[in-house]
Amino acid sequence: MRVSWDEYFMEIAQVVSKRSTCLRRQVGAVLVKDNRILATGYNGAPSKISHCSELGCLRMAENIPSGERHELCRGLHAEQNAIIQAALYGVSVQGADLYSTCQPCILCAKMLINVGVKRIIYKGAYPDKMSLDMLEEAGITLVQWGEEEKDGAEIDFSTQTK
């Protein structure tokens, strides 16, 4: 049976995440427009900088919870790296969809809003309600990917508590 476009791109995001050098969470992201891949990204340290997989993780050593103190990390997020890759090669991502193995954090949400992403399909949740609130306010469609049914479910913001 032929997979849907959403399943196809989500599986690619999962493969991209395998390049991650983060010790806590491996994330992959794919920016897509008109069913064509524009750019991919995974979380890890900037180019030419040692990775946490080589040096260890400051966040783990300091017991910093997910969703807090983003500045205490050597790595870039997968969404950030996908946006950077598109920019490096002069590819506009305005109007694109983002497929990610994890819900964007607030930092990535702000970037995705400003580059004009219209829809975000993500697999795993992330402890960052402010991110969801900003994406809702910006009118970006969020779809949480369901592992069991291999299908996405659009988030109904009207039922969420503020």
Side-chain angles (χ1 to χ4, degrees), residues 15 26 44 63 68 74 81 103 134 137 139:
V15 170
Q26 289 69 47
N63 202 26
E68 297 179 17
R74 296 180 66 79
N81 271 324
Q103 171 198 321
M134 279 191 128
E137 184 178 345

Side-chain angles (χ1 to χ4, degrees), residues 22-53:
C22 179
L23 299 175
R24 290 174 67 158
R25 182 188 316 253
Q26 289 69 47
V27 180
V30 181
L31 285 164
V32 174
K33 188 170 184 181
D34 299 326
N35 292 329
R36 301 291 178 254
I37 295 172
L38 303 176
T40 65
Y42 53 88
N43 55 331
S47 299
K48 302 177 186 170
I49 302 293
S50 297
H51 292 274
C52 296
S53 57

Side-chain angles (χ1 to χ4, degrees), residues 20-134:
S20 171
T21 58
C22 179
L23 299 175
R24 290 174 67 158
R25 182 188 316 253
Q26 289 69 47
V27 180
V30 181
L31 285 164
V32 174
K33 188 170 184 181
D34 299 326
N35 292 329
R36 301 291 178 254
I37 295 172
L38 303 176
T40 65
Y42 53 88
N43 55 331
S47 299
K48 302 177 186 170
I49 302 293
S50 297
H51 292 274
C52 296
S53 57
E54 300 163 326
L55 299 177
C57 176
L58 174 63
R59 295 177 61 80
M60 287 172 73
E62 297 292 325
N63 202 26
I64 299 168
S66 289
E68 297 179 17
R69 307 289 316 268
H70 295 286
E71 75 278 8
L72 297 178
C73 178
R74 296 180 66 79
L76 292 159
H77 291 185
E79 303 92 331
Q80 294 167 341
N81 271 324
I83 291 167
I84 291 166
Q85 289 304 307
L88 279 172
Y89 292 99
V91 177
S92 172
V93 298
Q94 187 171 9
D97 293 340
L98 175 87
Y99 292 83
S100 180
T101 59
C102 189
Q103 171 198 321
C105 72
I106 186 62
L107 299 174
C108 291
K110 291 186 278 188
M111 291 179 192
L112 294 165
I113 290 166
N114 272 7
V115 299
V117 165
K118 66 176 182 173
R119 185 171 75 123
I120 298 171
I121 304 92
Y122 69 93
K123 196 170 186 179
Y126 190 74
D128 195 334
K129 185 173 177 334
M130 188 175 181
S131 167
L132 296 176
D133 291 344
M134 279 191 128

